[in-house]
Amino acid sequence: MEIEFVAADAPLAPRTAVARVVFEGQAQEGALARAVAASRFTGAKGQTLDVLAPEGGGDRLVLVGAGKSEAFDALAAEHAGASAYNAVKLSGLETLRVELPGASPEIATRAALGVRLACYRFDKYRTKEAAEKKPSVVKTQVTAADADAALAAFPPLAALADAVSFTRDLVSEPANILYPAEFARRVKELERLGLEIEVLGEPEMAALGMGSLLGVGQGSIRESQLVVMRWNGASDPNAQPVAFVGKGVCFDTGGISIKPADGMEDMKWDMGGAGAVTGLMHVLAGRKAKVNAIGILGLVENMPDGNAQRPGDVVTSMSGQTIEVINTDAEGRLVLADALWYCQDRFKPRFMVDLATLTGAIIISLGNDYAGCFSNNDELANNLLDASGKEGEPLWRLPLPEAYNKQIESPIADLKNTGGRPAGSITAALFLQKFVNGLPWAHLDIASTAWKKGSTVPTLPEGATGYGVRLLNRMVQDRYEG
Ligand code: BES
Ligand code: MN
Ligand code: ZN
């Protein structure tokens, strides 16, 4: 999608659909007032009204409801841009003009970001899609009070849109294409953005004592990988880094504790945490963020096999703690145990945030809009929640009660990897906490938000959402740069 910023009176190109952002109760004139009166359009958020061949220019006019004018902020502008695109994407016209009267650079650029996020599609495997089902809009012009200032302000948001698309591509890929080594290869290509990338294979991880992560991948013919990404953008090259760790289970069958067949295909998304961490590093490099950041991915495939680990096996993690593997389907925490320990041991970061499609229970707790946040540090948790609100990636904090540690005590090892049904997301987080060595840490359980079926958010097409990239980028930008 090509994005331009133009003055409100810039001439319209041929074959343009004009989307006029309208507030609730805003009066229209002439034929347009009659069109509104003949419909149920009120300007409420998310509403659209299509007017073909309107008087006064453009081939099509769409009124896009933006809600109350007092509540119109950057996020609302983004949703308005996305709704405008969604309303005309299949119109057959090639250009979209988003009319935002008097828009500041912030409002105009966020509307453009909304278009970029909404127009994402994963269509590389479609060979026979009918032309009329393909989006026709290839260029968007957003009106701004000062078009040059808007253009100058846009690059960081364009970098963000690129990064979210990169994450969505990774998460959408099927597991026969995107297995650990292929994931690592695609990350390695991000060296072109200035990231430093290291890839550890199974021998290197074995030498480090990562028995917990390696046990998970042991039943797969695909080699497990640990990817380390580094972005050194801080003015002080030795500034202590911030660190992000992602669960990258390229496919989760459950292993010997195998999952039911119904819906198992969804487990190709089980690398959503690793996808988000990759996208975050992509945007930090893309916008040259003034921060030192580490991104670590634990990439495995969880398969049943003659060599797979068994329920009851005891593995030794890099931390030295032993784990009784009660259920081989609780594999994400086993991967993160070693990835988190490695991260704090090697990089001594200011904090670690891990992202993981960790538990089905988080969907039971929070439904499909909110991700769960767990943290041993109030400041970090509050920074995450604040960024979540600003970027429209909903997050809800849950507790880490000391007493629930009882649920993950093992009769024969230091820990066991499941805590039973009560508070399943919490006991999973408590398990992870054993591997952070007291560092400020937060865990985001994104099993509920990494992908959407039947999305109702205009910036989220159905499928992979890229959840987390925006939230973490915003937190770094607001709190940890300089
Ligand atoms: N990848 C799943 C969690 C998941 C479930 C993500 C549904 C998205 C949708 C994870 O590895 C898993 O299988 N967790 C188990 C843990 C249980 C065995 C303690 C779960 O949630 O059932
Ligand atoms: Mn599992
Ligand atoms: Zn999993």
Side-chain angles (χ1 to χ4, degrees), residues 247 249 251-254 259 267 269-271 302 328-333 356-359:
K247 168 180 172 180
V249 178
F251 196 81
D252 180 14
T253 63
K259 289 180 180 293
M267 287 300 120
W269 317 99
D270 208 19
M271 32 58 69
N302 188 21
T328 64
D329 196 13
E331 84 298 338
R333 64 198 77 181
T357 50
L358 204 64
T359 66

Side-chain angles (χ1 to χ4, degrees), residues 4-10 12 18-19 97-104 107-109 111 140-147 150:
E4 288 179 355
F5 297 95
V6 300
D9 59 359
L12 290 172
V18 176
R97 164 81 61 99
V98 182
E99 281 188 3
L100 275 165
S104 65
I107 293 292
T109 53
T140 297
Q141 301 177 323
V142 181
T143 67
D146 181 343

Side-chain angles (χ1 to χ4, degrees), residues 115-122 164-166 168-169 172 461 464:
V115 174
R116 286 282 319 265
L117 293 171
C119 77
Y120 175 82
R121 288 185 104 210
F122 188 76
V164 171
S165 296
F166 193 82
R168 289 175 177 176
D169 280 346
S172 301

Side-chain angles (χ1 to χ4, degrees), residues 47-331:
Q47 282 186 344
T48 59
L49 178 66
D50 217 355
V51 184
L52 298 177
E55 286 172 12
D59 296 283
R60 210 181 247 264
L61 176 64
V62 184
L63 300 186
V64 178
K68 301 221 181 333
S69 62
E70 319 83 84
F72 191 71
D73 57 6
L75 202 51
E78 185 183 307
H79 283 185
S83 297
Y85 172 78
N86 291 336
V88 304
K89 65 182 176 185
L90 296 176
S91 64
L93 299 173
E94 289 78 29
T95 303
L96 163 64
R97 164 81 61 99
V98 182
E99 281 188 3
L100 275 165
S104 65
E106 192 197 9
I107 293 292
T109 53
R110 283 287 286 256
L113 173 66
V115 174
R116 286 282 319 265
L117 293 171
C119 77
Y120 175 82
R121 288 185 104 210
F122 188 76
D123 54 9
K124 64 192 282 197
Y125 298 117
R126 292 181 186 274
T127 67
K128 300 201 282 195
E129 192 175 36
E132 68 271 18
K133 291 196 169 157
K134 290 198 172 99
S136 56
V137 174
V138 292
K139 179 175 181 174
T140 297
Q141 301 177 323
V142 181
T143 67
D146 181 343
D148 291 338
L151 183 64
F154 193 53
L157 294 186
L160 179 58
D162 290 344
V164 171
S165 296
F166 193 82
T167 297
R168 289 175 177 176
D169 280 346
L170 288 172
V171 176
S172 301
E173 283 286 10
N176 62 324
I177 305 292
L178 196 83
Y179 46 91
E182 171 60 13
F183 194 140
R185 191 193 65 74
R186 292 193 190 188
V187 175
K188 194 98 172 106
E189 285 179 353
L190 300 182
E191 284 175 340
R192 69 182 155 80
L193 298 173
L195 290 169
E196 287 170 31
I197 317 278
E198 284 168 64
V199 180
L200 281 64
E202 289 181 356
E204 291 90 346
M205 287 190 271
L208 287 162
M210 294 190 174
S212 182
L213 185 155
L214 288 169
V216 176
Q218 173 183 310
S220 172
I221 57 162
R222 306 295 196 182
E223 192 188 358
S224 300
Q225 312 268 276
L226 189 89
V227 176
V228 179
M229 292 174 266
R230 306 178 70 164
W231 169 250
N232 296 310
S235 38
D236 171 6
N238 297 317
Q240 203 183 3
V242 295
F244 303 90
V245 179
K247 168 180 172 180
V249 178
C250 292
F251 196 81
D252 180 14
T253 63
I256 296 299
S257 314
I258 197 162
K259 289 180 180 293
D262 231 27
M264 201 202 276
E265 68 280 5
D266 286 347
M267 287 300 120
K268 73 169 187 177
W269 317 99
D270 208 19
M271 32 58 69
V277 169
T278 306
L280 172 69
M281 299 304 288
H282 192 303
V283 60
L284 294 180
R287 64 176 184 78
K288 306 222 176 308
K290 293 197 178 324
V291 67
N292 291 344
I294 307 291
I296 293 186
L297 315 177
L299 303 175
V300 301
E301 183 180 56
N302 188 21
M303 298 290 274
D305 176 78
N307 193 46
Q309 78 180 342
R310 293 148 291 257
D313 283 4
V314 174
V315 295
T316 302
S317 66
M318 184 184 174
S319 72
Q321 297 173 94
T322 56
I323 305 160
E324 185 186 9
V325 180
I326 299 296
N327 188 320
T328 64
D329 196 13
E331 84 298 338

